[in-house]
Amino acid sequence: QVQLVESGGGLVQAGGSLRLSCAASGSIFSINDMGWYRQAPGKQRELVAGITRGGSTNYADSVKGRFIIFRDNAKNTVYLQMNSLKPEDTAVYYCNADVKGRDYYVMNYWGKGTLVTVSS
């Protein structure tokens, strides 16, 4: 079994910054793609940013130039640096990962989420 645990959420004023972390633990052989999603009240969950094992990244248009996703493969951890935050960034942020277990099967996992609130 694999667990993804997010941290770093909180309350911040508009224009401020936060860094989210997501650490994977458990029966892990390797981790392929990792990503951050978010879900605002009354809205569907959406992709914020993704990163491959090799470091290729993609971003939602709404966060390009403000957010940076990066990872530490040795620590099985993915990060999301969020700068110039806006009230519309308020949401629960979820970590997602494609994990190859020690049995070599690849499964997709979600964290439980961390709340980010941006005040105007």
Side-chain angles (χ1 to χ4, degrees), residues 3-118:
Q3 297 81 39
L4 302 180
V5 179
E6 302 102 334
S7 61
L11 174 64
V12 64
Q13 287 189 330
S17 298
L18 281 176
R19 178 178 291 186
L20 305 182
S21 301
C22 171
S25 63
S27 181
I28 298 171
F29 178 79
S30 65
I31 303 178
N32 300 331
D33 295 349
M34 304 185 82
W36 288 95
Y37 290 72
R38 66 186 180 187
Q39 187 166 18
K43 295 188 176 182
Q44 290 189 335
R45 191 173 298 189
E46 63 175 359
L47 175 67
V48 176
I51 185 168
T52 67
R53 181 170 180 81
S56 297
T57 59
N58 63 287
Y59 296 91
D61 287 343
S62 60
V63 307
K64 282 180 181 177
R66 299 189 297 122
F67 291 10
I68 301 171
I69 186 171
F70 58 102
R71 63 191 284 176
D72 184 332
N73 290 334
K75 295 182 178 179
N76 290 331
T77 300
V78 63
Y79 305 89
L80 186 67
Q81 177 67 40
M82 304 186 294
N83 302 318
S84 302
L85 282 160
K86 304 175 181 180
E88 51 263 44
D89 294 317
T90 295
V92 177
Y93 284 71
Y94 297 91
C95 177
N96 181 268
D98 288 330
V99 179
K100 179 181 287 187
R102 297 187 189 281
D103 57 2
Y104 301 115
Y105 283 98
V106 178
M107 294 185 64
N108 185 260
Y109 293 92
W110 289 93
K112 293 184 178 180
T114 184
L115 177 63
V116 172
T117 304
V118 184

